[in-house]
Amino acid sequence: MIKKSDRAYGVNASTQTVETEMVEEGMREKRGIEKDFEVPIIIENVTPEIDGGIFAAKSVVGDPFIVEADIFRDGYSVIAASLKYRKKNEEGWQEVPMKHYENDRWRGVLIPTDNTLYLYTLEAWADHLTSWFRFMEKKCPANSNVSGDLAEGLQLIEKAETQAKGKDLKKISHFKNLLELSDGGSDEVLRIIQNEDFREAVLKYPVKDKLSSYGKELPLFVDRKRAEFGAWYEMFPRSQGKSKSKSGTFKDCIRRLPDIKKMGFDVIYLPPIHPIGTTFRKGKNNSLEADKDSPGSPWAIGNKEGGHKAVHPELGTLEDFEDFVQAAREYEMEIALDLAYQCSPDHPYVKEHPEWFYRLPDGTIRYAENPPKKYQDIYPIDFYSEDHEALWEELRSIVFFWIAKGVRIFRVDNPHTKPLRFWKWLIDTVQEKYPDVLFLAEAFTRPKVMKYLAKAGFSQSYTYFTWRNQKWDLRQYLQELTMTEIRHYFRPNFFANTPDILHEYLQKGGRPAFKVRLVLAATLSGNYGIYSGYELCENKPIKEGSEEYLNSEKYEIRVRDWNQPGNIIDYIARINRIRAENPALQKHLNLEFFQSENEQILCYGKKTPDNSNVIVVVVNLDPFRPREDLVALPIWKFGIEEWQTYQAKDLITGDKYYWKGSHNYIRLDPEVEPAHILSLKK
Amino acid sequence: MIKKSDRAYGVNASTQTVETEMVEEGMREKRGIEKDFEVPIIIENVTPEIDGGIFAAKSVVGDPFIVEADIFRDGYSVIAASLKYRKKNEEGWQEVPMKHYENDRWRGVLIPTDNTLYLYTLEAWADHLTSWFRFMEKKCPANSNVSGDLAEGLQLIEKAETQAKGKDLKKISHFKNLLELSDGGSDEVLRIIQNEDFREAVLKYPVKDKLSSYGKELPLFVDRKRAEFGAWYEMFPRSQGKSKSKSGTFKDCIRRLPDIKKMGFDVIYLPPIHPIGTTFRKGKNNSLEADKDSPGSPWAIGNKEGGHKAVHPELGTLEDFEDFVQAAREYEMEIALDLAYQCSPDHPYVKEHPEWFYRLPDGTIRYAENPPKKYQDIYPIDFYSEDHEALWEELRSIVFFWIAKGVRIFRVDNPHTKPLRFWKWLIDTVQEKYPDVLFLAEAFTRPKVMKYLAKAGFSQSYTYFTWRNQKWDLRQYLQELTMTEIRHYFRPNFFANTPDILHEYLQKGGRPAFKVRLVLAATLSGNYGIYSGYELCENKPIKEGSEEYLNSEKYEIRVRDWNQPGNIIDYIARINRIRAENPALQKHLNLEFFQSENEQILCYGKKTPDNSNVIVVVVNLDPFRPREDLVALPIWKFGIEEWQTYQAKDLITGDKYYWKGSHNYIRLDPEVEPAHILSLKK
């Protein structure tokens, strides 16, 4: 007896030992007529398959989702394969054929239609009939009679016949009769099996009697389009009023909507809107002594007026907030809330659930501390506390609370300091009920932790973009995001600035630098954002060498003059309109870098698969000096021949250039326009 | 209640969902004292891990086996990890610490001592005590009293204390007392916790109370050394006699042993030694008409005198064969047999088990055929036949039969045309009983099929080496073998020629070409081989453009004059002696290519980890013209400084060069010596 291999390694390896077990199983199963046993065809190196299928690949509704695998078997007979998929909450698989394209690599494409969790898997089988056709096409010319082989083929044709119906059945039976009447005369046989009509009919009914399944059903989470395409605008509601000494309100925020809409943003993200603690409240510029009027940091959440489910009374009421959400919706914009799981010492949780915080052996609660720095205004939550079940439930109920108020996007503060598994559980269970909810991870930490958060379910992630300001590191970073495995699950959101990050490039480079970084963020990534003040080119750090803003809005109310000279509001509006009008710019995965010699000129492009929208972006990274270069475009990929003249229209200025060939001269003066966004047309 | 995530994807994903399940499990388990719950630490991207652990990584006895993984957790507290391993057939794990080396990547090394199957896995835990030490070292200098934090640390120290014994226990208790007496005075506390004696003692007892296991036990098959290092010599026993018209015998083979030993070979591989069929026997040069004296192809196995368990009577008896095996062993050489699972029409199986062959619907057995070519002298075996269980058993019994006769190495003919799972089953079950048995796969087919055979268990594989004759393709191919994932399971055996492959490079390049390819094969790979006649520089193809030998030994007896002028026997002996004397050359995975400008000069090196043996090889790939070049050696990796003079001794000629710096001039005249094998010494 052939026993199951003893090297069925791994205690828990039941997924994987399916391959080993098939040896035995295959031996027991009786399939087909001539042969009772066929080893399964090997299906391996499936992409995407994230960590063996525990994590979902990501896509968006309507986007072709490509699955590839190595599929092969012993010997030389022909095989066929298909990609199968279904929504997880529905029965019944749909199936699309896979095609071999090179070196035993196969590819199948499905187009998901719904914002939900899908499963996909693969199967392959021996295509005996095609094997037989190919064999006979070589054998017939070399032999006068092929009756032995014909008998074998007729058995295969009969199998197709039993499945066929209507016209196909008639055709198959007709040609089968002809073959039977041929008596194996090879000329006759060859003529019949080469009949296109016959081939088409009979191959419609593949006999999958040697079927091999991949064995795993892999998850694919299909988001709504906003997950990969959106322009974000971050603003502090309290700064939207008229006075530095009086908090703006949600009603003021509503008044701001037309301006934000005019700039072309899709998402308005608000820092925490909850009551702010008073104990150890931070003053202006993060000083330890807050004066009486200091409004405090919105991230010191909670006081006697409420916690994460309340709004700061100075901003208005919950109803006011809901009105704001509704008003934004009427402008086709969404509100994103901050999800910052931490408490001020005055948060109601501290009294009601001291067991949810870190406590020293003497029972006192420990504040956040990174010696010698102390953050006495913040109590971190102990996610591993004895009462964690109730704690986790309560934290999730905050999300459900705001969902009920109309919020569908959450920007999560510092997720990397909370358990990775907490996020997986939270996001899985929230999206199970509300698949349209999106989560953005604000994790500026080590790369593997950031990737893991994305695998665990975050729809989007903050990135290292703010610190990538040179040609080589922009290219390297974007190539990692778009060409390595993380492309399947990590979606970048390129913020050009945040309340915490004013990069030196912006501090020093002035207005041209703000335009450069805007164009890069908005055209390299489908998701990007700015924090308000960017449109005014605010660039004063608290001190030389720091990325903190001077008079940071985190600790005080800032009222701005939006018509201030030198603002780039119109420029932002133009860039966002270009994004909205050009589908090629609505994702990051179609990015390709093009060759340019000048170390300060970055050239890249994006296009739709059908070449109906071809965008080429050229940016002068040097905000101080004009730069020129010869850039090399792979025009053959755009369907343009070397001899053809084509139009390159600058969507920023409206200027039109008529080019021929792949190499073209570029000159960009940062004081005029630091970037081209070119639409190419034949 | 927190429920198990519903996105525990994948029907069979039990290995993998262990990560998801841990969320729930971790919540139930109560470990440790202060906190009852800790999420597991993430352990992922383990290398080697072949296809999720269904296939074994390969190593050899005594060779350090390196395991790496990404290991991290949320937040910033310190973690520790270990690599655990055991022989599969023994209980009880051994453990070595893993070390963090960069970017959340950890590394552990085990040294296997036995030729057997091992399992390995990883675990990690939160190292609270080290976290606490680091925290206190920052906190103490900034505060006068730290009693709150001290209390927390004392709890951790107590846990170590309960595990400690003897002197360690005394030490720990002593310092714990001092800490308690300090009353939290920060100078005092800092002084105590920085005491080296205390640290060393207390950290010896890590509290693994937040233990996270990888969950999978991964297989590692540890071969004997011969699996990665051996020089092979292929010869037809029937050609070892004195006459073209009379078969040589095993006794003649015994007489050849001193010469083969003198050349320095380790393994003598014999084409099939079984009775040869007479039906449709092939004649000289593969002609369809065999004359009366044609001995036939040894691969047309079986006639009325027996099949795969018999020896051809003209070679002698089974006892003669055993004598030959024994005689070779006395010369410290091994005999490798050919395992060719196919039959001549006269094989006893054909009569006894017609059901084991492919049959047409009329019941006749089908011969091998690739129209218009017919191989009527060969019946392929139908591995998927109804009676496959008995068939597979019988085929395996052939291996056991020859093992009983003293054979421990099998060269398997065309494994890629037999079921991949058959090989996994065969090799697993044979090596379970005889872990010292080696299998070499003779699969010249598509890359993924070749890789799969290696994963399935083949100890060594034939390669594309014969067709890699240029600098760029040798580099590319070797980099694939030594630097991609296949390094963990695919061991090359570089044959410079075979009875089927006489490459054009050898046909055209003459004696220098034979020397070049010998040096490449013997120094690039730990395993290499030649087919006899190579030492005489036999280079006549059957026709222009063919890789087949003229008057191929496959179809006739060839008797050679081993003292023929122009032979390279001494050269081969020298190269094999160099391999034997230099441990750096006894494997392929330590290969590194070095920079050289000339397109015909290939430069590479191998060294032992301790730099006690540093070998640099420089080869002129052009067999016709002298070539010169400046090669650049990374001498800093060899422990040599730029200013130091070092000796490069050519192990082929004995010449010594005294070099300084990394760049050195090389000139190689193929008519003199086409290659240097240099041993570098300070």
Side-chain angles (χ1 to χ4, degrees), chain A residues 1-3 5-7 9-17 19 23 27 36-40 42 44 51-54 56 70 72-76 88 103-105 117 135 138-139 142-143 148-149 151-152 155 215 217 219 221 358 360-361 366 369-372 374 384-386 388-389 392-393 416-421 424-425 428 431-432 446-449 452 455, chain B residues 1-3 5-7 9-17 19-20 23 27 35-40 42 44 51-54 56 70 72-76 88 103-105 117 135 138-139 142-143 148-149 151-152 215 217 219 221 360-361 366 369-372 374 384-386 388-389 392-393 416-421 424-425 428 431-432 446-449 452 455:
Chain A
M1 251 305 292
I2 290 159
K3 286 190 226 113
S5 161
D6 222 34
R7 220 185 279 173
Y9 313 107
V11 185
N12 295 310
S14 81
T15 301
Q16 308 279 12
T17 47
E19 295 226 7
V23 174
M27 294 210 173
D36 67 327
F37 169 67
E38 175 95 54
V39 282
I42 311 298
E44 56 172 24
D51 291 9
I54 27 168
D70 294 342
F72 55 86
R73 56 164 293 178
D74 56 296
Y76 303 102
K88 195 184 175 213
N103 190 14
D104 293 323
R105 192 88 182 141
L117 181 63
F135 178 82
K138 289 191 288 175
K139 179 144 189 181
N143 293 271
D149 298 293
E152 201 176 21
Q155 290 185 344
E217 297 176 1
F221 192 80
Y358 293 94
L360 293 172
R366 176 189 268 172
E369 183 174 18
N370 183 12
K374 298 175 183 184
Y384 312 137
S385 80
E386 276 191 42
H388 56 264
E389 292 190 12
W392 288 27
E393 279 295 333
H416 55 293
T417 59
K418 286 97 188 170
L420 297 163
R421 279 168 182 75
K424 174 144 175 59
W425 166 78
D428 280 358
Q431 288 187 336
E432 196 187 335
R446 297 164 354 253
K448 282 168 190 168
V449 178
Y452 197 89
K455 285 198 280 194
Chain B
M1 250 306 292
I2 291 160
K3 285 187 227 118
S5 161
D6 222 36
R7 221 186 278 173
Y9 314 108
V11 185
N12 296 309
S14 82
T15 300
Q16 307 279 12
T17 48
E19 295 225 7
T20 318
V23 174
M27 294 212 174
K35 294 169 193 167
D36 66 329
F37 169 69
E38 174 95 54
V39 282
I42 311 297
E44 56 171 25
D51 291 9
I54 28 167
D70 295 342
F72 54 87
R73 56 164 293 179
D74 55 295
Y76 303 101
K88 191 177 180 220
N103 189 16
D104 292 324
R105 192 89 183 141
L117 180 63
F135 178 82
K138 289 192 288 176
K139 179 144 187 180
N143 294 269
D149 299 293
E152 201 176 21
E217 296 176 2
F221 192 79
L360 293 172
R366 176 187 270 172
E369 183 174 18
N370 185 13
K374 297 175 183 185
Y384 312 137
S385 80
E386 274 190 44
H388 56 264
E389 291 189 15
W392 289 26
E393 279 296 331
H416 55 293
T417 59
K418 285 97 188 170
L420 296 162
R421 277 171 183 74
K424 175 145 174 58
W425 166 77
D428 279 358
Q431 287 187 337
E432 196 188 336
R446 295 159 2 250
K448 284 170 189 166
V449 178
Y452 198 88
K455 285 198 280 194

Side-chain angles (χ1 to χ4, degrees), chain A residues 562-611:
Chain A
W562 301 112
N563 299 313
Q564 197 173 295
N567 76 67
I568 56 167
I569 287 174
D570 287 347
Y571 193 77
I572 293 170
R574 216 169 318 143
I575 301 299
N576 281 334
R577 200 174 55 242
I578 293 168
R579 281 167 47 92
E581 290 171 356
N582 290 277
L585 292 173
Q586 295 174 9
K587 50 167 55 192
H588 69 291
L589 290 177
N590 56 345
L591 176 69
E592 189 181 351
F593 286 101
F594 305 138
Q595 199 198 313
S596 63
E597 296 299 320
N598 192 312
E599 266 318 295
Q600 296 291 343
I601 298 282
L602 187 69
C603 181
Y604 53 91
K606 288 180 171 180
K607 66 184 201 66
T608 52
D610 63 0
N611 283 334

Side-chain angles (χ1 to χ4, degrees), chain A residues 505-568:
Chain A
Y505 184 88
L506 296 175
Q507 296 175 25
K508 305 263 165 88
R511 197 168 178 270
F514 280 79
K515 289 166 86 177
V516 165
R517 297 297 296 177
L518 183 84
V519 169
L520 291 174
T523 59
L524 286 169
S525 176
N527 296 303
Y528 91 103
I530 61 167
Y531 151 57
S532 58
Y534 193 94
E535 62 269 56
L536 305 181
C537 304
E538 288 179 357
N539 67 347
K540 294 240 165 9
I542 189 166
K543 60 177 185 221
E544 175 74 22
S546 169
E547 294 183 347
E548 281 286 335
Y549 278 90
L550 177 66
N551 302 328
S552 169
E553 209 170 349
K554 288 187 283 185
Y555 312 104
E556 61 187 278
I557 294 169
R558 296 278 302 272
V559 175
R560 296 171 173 98
D561 171 11
W562 301 112
N563 299 313
Q564 197 173 295
N567 76 67
I568 56 167

Side-chain angles (χ1 to χ4, degrees), chain A residues 175-344:
Chain A
F175 287 101
K176 197 189 74 173
N177 280 342
L178 291 182
L179 283 171
E180 281 164 346
L181 292 168
S182 74
D183 275 338
S186 60
D187 291 349
E188 181 81 3
V189 168
L190 185 61
R191 205 172 42 77
I192 298 166
I193 65 171
Q194 284 184 328
N195 183 294
E196 281 299 323
D197 255 20
F198 172 46
R199 284 278 180 114
E200 199 197 315
V202 75
L203 290 176
K204 246 189 237 172
Y205 303 92
V207 180
K208 297 189 183 179
D209 58 356
K210 280 36 167 177
L211 199 64
S212 301
S213 296
Y214 182 50
K216 282 192 237 180
E217 297 176 1
L218 303 171
L220 161 66
F221 192 80
V222 177
D223 280 296
R224 57 191 173 111
K225 175 81 178 160
R226 183 62 67 230
E228 74 170 14
F229 175 59
W232 288 49
Y233 185 75
E234 175 173 2
M235 69 178 194
F236 285 69
R238 69 186 183 193
S239 292
Q240 307 311 316
K242 299 249 178 321
S243 157
K244 271 195 71 146
S245 52
K246 188 169 174 293
S247 174
T249 65
F250 291 125
K251 289 198 188 343
D252 292 319
C253 290
I254 292 174
R255 277 187 284 273
R256 279 275 281 144
L257 287 173
D259 283 356
I260 300 167
K261 180 65 188 174
K262 219 163 136 194
M263 281 192 285
F265 287 101
D266 307 300
V267 179
I268 301 173
Y269 149 51
L270 313 179
I273 56 173
H274 317 299
I276 296 172
T278 51
T279 305
F280 294 107
R281 176 177 282 191
K282 293 294 176 73
K284 229 176 122 130
N285 285 314
N286 202 18
S287 59
L288 288 178
E289 308 292 307
D291 59 36
K292 198 164 64 35
D293 300 328
S294 285
S297 161
W299 284 274
I301 294 170
N303 65 23
K304 60 182 190 302
E305 290 161 320
H308 287 75
K309 293 175 186 168
V311 297
H312 195 305
E314 289 181 3
L315 297 173
T317 64
L318 262 175
E319 288 67 39
D320 292 343
F321 173 74
E322 288 181 274
D323 289 346
F324 174 48
V325 170
Q326 182 53 35
R329 190 173 295 136
E330 282 158 20
Y331 281 103
E332 293 177 306
M333 290 192 287
E334 279 189 71
I335 302 307
L337 280 196
D338 200 306
L339 203 55
Y341 284 137
Q342 57 190 24
C343 297
S344 97

